[in-house]
Amino acid sequence: MPTDPSRSLLPKCIDARKLAQREQSLDGILPPDALERLNSAVESIDGAISAELRFGRDLQGRLTVRGRVTGTVELLCQRCLHPVREQLEAPFYWGIVWSEAQGKSLPRDLDPVIQGGDELDLYQILEDEILLNLPMVAYHQEKCVPKGHFQFGESDTEAGGQRENPFKVLEQLKGSSGKS
Ligand SMILES: [Zn+2]
């Protein structure tokens, strides 16, 4: 999938404090080769990972960033071990702080993001967000196991036909443990 040329690349380094004081916004995409950790965590990144960020202040005057990272990746289906496409959406609400100690004083709905100096590595923290939102396991929505591995429901019976229906087994289990 070609990346949309109208979407600009996000800057790698930002001064989040300054952007928040000016209540600015950023929208754009992350360059795929900057996402090494994500690349090694998934089968492939499908198209662009994009992000939108709204810088500003909360009611108490804290510097905040609200936004989300979105993208599509391919993971291995844990049933058939073929790639399965997963749509990712990672919303976030950051509080920009100077230090870890200051981060601890933030209210719970704000995730501390530490900018100790003049700049913040935006790619790294956005990659953190998307990694946190990766599903632990992925499965195809449709039946994906090759015919003959398992057999569910009323599909064609093999020669001999006496295959155990897994739902029937479940019913038996329920029956034996339930009303006796
Ligand atoms: Zn599958």
Side-chain angles (χ1 to χ4, degrees), residues 77 79-80 140 144:
C77 169
R79 203 155 38 211
C80 66
H140 286 107
C144 55

Side-chain angles (χ1 to χ4, degrees), residues 77-84 138-140 142-145:
C77 169
Q78 293 307 300
R79 203 155 38 211
C80 66
L81 300 179
H82 285 103
V84 56
Y139 295 104
H140 286 107
E142 69 279 9
K143 282 191 233 169
C144 55
V145 170

Side-chain angles (χ1 to χ4, degrees), residues 2 8 13 22 46 57 61-62 68 72 93 98 101 107 113 115 119 131 135 141-142 153 155-156 161 167 169-171:
S8 52
C13 292
R22 296 177 179 171
D46 195 357
R57 291 174 188 272
R62 298 184 194 93
R68 62 196 186 115
T72 307
Y93 187 30
W98 288 96
V113 165
Q115 182 183 321
E119 283 186 331
L131 286 169
Q141 304 245 303
E142 69 279 9
S155 52
D156 48 340
F167 294 116
V169 176
L170 272 180
E171 264 163 40

Side-chain angles (χ1 to χ4, degrees), residues 81-110:
L81 300 179
H82 285 103
V84 56
R85 197 165 285 181
E86 283 283 336
Q87 204 90 20
L88 301 177
E89 175 163 351
F92 55 81
Y93 187 30
W94 298 335
I96 306 297
V97 292
W98 288 96
S99 64
E100 211 168 311
Q102 196 191 348
K104 291 198 174 114
S105 67
L106 287 179
R108 289 177 64 175
D109 59 333
L110 277 171

